[in-house]
Amino acid sequence: MFEVTILGGGVMGAVTACFLARDHGAAVTVIERDPSYARASSSLSLSSIRQQFSQPVNMALSRWSMAFLRRVADELAVADDRPAIGLVEPGYLYLATPAGAATLRGLHELQRAEGVDVALQSTAELTARFPWLAVGDLALGSLGLTGEGWFDGPALHRAFRRKAQASGARFVASEAVGFETAGDRVTGVRCADGSRLGGDAFVIAAGAWSAPLGRALGSTLPVSAKKRDVFVLETPAALPGCPLVIDPSGFWFRTEGSLVLAGGPPRGDDVDDMPLDQIDHGLFDEQLWPALAARVPALEALRVRSAWAGYYEMNAFDHNGLAGRLPGWANAFTACGFSGHGMQQSPAVGHSMARLMAGLDAPLIEALTPQRLLDGRPLIEANVI
Ligand SMILES: Cc1cc2nc3c(=O)[nH]c(=O)nc-3n(C[C@H](O)[C@H](O)[C@H](O)COP(=O)(O)OP(=O)(O)OC[C@H]3O[C@@H](n4cnc5c(N)ncnc54)[C@H](O)[C@@H]3O)c2cc1C
């Protein structure tokens, strides 16, 4: 039987394990150093999904994944247990001032040509749809009509793990620290507890911590941990129909039940590995709140109920995922560096990774090949949040 060892059991590792075991009959072992997933990006994600990207590959991955999420209860059922992930589709709304209007129109043309269900909205149309939105400084907005929204990411991650295990995959609590190799083949993984795991193929899916494992194989994976803060807000204001709004200033907000979630780019230098318990409350007080209240005057009245932080697994090369075979190796692969859009793309990426390792074609992830690092061909995504 074809044996695959996956390093890292976050959503990328779990989904790849699931499709390998479920669809291709592979014997899969996932090595995960922290089975509580406390610091995994997959546990701390906003878990939103959009089609409004600048790169066709990202639109296609999210479209495939959205279709999968809509039928997730059938796809990932284990006996009578049908997972519920709370998928809702209120859309994303990108807002532009006159200075940004031409760029938004250009992206709109590109997205329409790729079949994305998106509509440009004048300020009058925005006011009619979202009367709580202040539009005085805006020129227009771009609203996803279908195929965009959010879901319970940790529930999806759990459902993939459970389906993988039900299909025979094994999850081992250990930390991978190195490899054994012979020629251009990896023959085993060494773990911190002294154990060794073999396999016919190996996948680095260690999220923000993938770079040291790549280095152990002589490969540069330019991925590092960039902290992002999320603020959970209580407000008496009602924002009916609220999509995930991306403000021209860079901050974003969306609702979660009766709460509002908001965040924005970090202040100052975006240093690697900032401690997750050091929330930048000044970012909210000094920048986000004033900007939020200007965009939604009803949010003048709010209270910060709590906040959390997680790591974007940022690919410094071009802010897009690296998925495919590691250059120079016959049987080593990676799926990492999704730079803040990995949760939504995980179904399509894991499905394609499993096909690739099973010797089938995987056109959806061809553009994400790590070979582009060596070729100096960045796949720049303009719409990174
Ligand atoms: C605040 C925030 C908001 C986000 N919002 C969105 C969003 O709206 N939409 C979206 O699509 N994405 C979003 N993301 C990004 C998304 O969550 C990630 O892209 C995705 O979860 C990455 O999954 P992963 O499996 O690659 O990494 P992780 O979930 O981090 O998993 C990696 C795993 O590898 C393990 N590991 C590391 N090193 C080793 C080792 N040596 N040996 C064994 N195990 C190891 C770790 O313990 C971890 O469990 C967000 C992320 C954050 C932090």
Side-chain angles (χ1 to χ4, degrees):
M1 190 189 269
F2 184 59
E3 289 180 21
V4 182
T5 298
I6 298 175
L7 290 66
V11 74
M12 283 298 167
V15 64
T16 304
C18 176
F19 285 118
L20 274 166
R22 190 195 78 167
D23 296 355
H24 303 289
V28 185
T29 303
V30 180
I31 307 173
E32 169 54 52
R33 68 179 175 196
D34 174 18
S36 79
Y37 298 99
R39 288 173 5 115
S41 304
S42 303
S43 300
L44 301 164
S45 180
L46 204 70
S47 305
S48 309
I49 178 165
R50 62 188 159 117
Q51 317 288 321
Q52 295 186 64
F53 285 98
S54 68
Q55 286 289 348
V57 58
N58 286 329
M59 301 176 210
L61 288 169
S62 285
R63 181 181 310 128
W64 195 100
S65 294
M66 178 50 106
F68 182 90
L69 294 180
R70 287 178 181 146
R71 52 175 205 274
V72 72
D74 294 327
E75 291 274 1
L76 300 184
V78 175
D80 290 340
D81 186 352
R82 296 165 57 77
I85 61 161
L87 175 68
V88 292
E89 301 188 33
Y92 271 58
L93 175 62
Y94 280 80
L95 300 175
T97 59
T103 304
L104 199 70
R105 282 186 201 283
L107 285 171
H108 175 77
E109 293 304 322
L110 188 65
Q111 290 156 0
R112 293 289 299 175
E114 294 293 324
V116 175
D117 190 13
V118 68
L120 286 181
Q121 301 277 289
S122 66
T123 51
E125 287 166 319
L126 287 173
T127 301
R129 261 184 207 267
F130 310 116
W132 38 264
L133 194 72
V135 300
D137 59 329
L138 299 178
L140 77 169
S142 171
L143 178 66
L145 299 176
T146 59
E148 296 190 325
W150 48 88
F151 56 95
D152 182 342
L156 179 69
H157 180 204
R158 251 191 328 274
F160 273 122
R161 292 202 307 276
R162 207 170 128 68
K163 186 69 177 178
Q165 285 167 316
S167 307
R170 204 163 61 100
F171 283 67
V172 173
S174 200
E175 179 171 8
V177 290
F179 296 92
E180 294 168 359
T181 60
D184 67 351
R185 295 190 69 80
V186 178
T187 53
V189 180
R190 281 183 286 106
C191 295
D193 58 11
S195 62
R196 173 201 182 273
L197 285 154
D200 301 307
F202 298 81
V203 186
I204 297 174
W209 305 277
S210 295
L213 293 171
R215 238 179 348 260
L217 286 176
S219 294
T220 300
L221 296 173
V223 177
S224 65
K226 300 287 191 189
K227 181 172 79 75
R228 292 293 179 270
D229 299 341
V230 180
F231 299 90
V232 183
L233 312 173
E234 276 177 353
T235 171
L239 309 179
C242 184
L244 195 155
V245 181
I246 313 285
D247 194 75
S249 66
F251 83 86
W252 57 263
F253 65 94
R254 72 161 168 86
T255 52
E256 178 71 44
S258 63
L259 301 170
V260 173
L261 305 179
R267 301 193 293 178
D269 293 339
D270 198 5
V271 178
D272 287 349
D273 300 310
M274 288 293 285
L276 289 182
D277 57 2
Q278 282 181 23
I279 304 287
D280 182 3
H281 287 282
L283 168 68
F284 184 80
D285 293 340
E286 292 161 31
Q287 291 184 3
L288 285 183
W289 194 353
L292 203 52
R295 184 61 62 215
V296 183
L299 290 181
E300 192 76 55
L302 61 76
R303 193 174 78 83
V304 180
R305 175 197 270 203
S306 59
W308 84 82
Y311 291 126
Y312 272 15
E313 70 295 20
M314 195 68 93
N315 169 7
F317 184 63
D318 59 9
H319 295 184
N320 270 309
L322 296 160
R325 202 171 53 78
L326 276 186
W329 294 100
N331 64 339
F333 299 80
T334 192
C336 72
F338 283 83
S339 307
H341 44 271
M343 177 58 80
Q344 66 191 280
Q345 296 188 339
S346 62
V349 170
H351 184 259
S352 298
M353 288 292 296
R355 284 182 63 85
L356 195 63
M357 279 179 274
L360 302 171
D361 65 331
L364 270 181
I365 55 168
E366 267 168 18
L368 298 186
T369 173
Q371 179 67 39
R372 74 183 191 277
L373 300 170
L374 298 186
D375 296 346
R377 276 187 295 111
L379 184 74
I380 302 290
E381 174 53 59
N383 277 358
V384 169
I385 298 171

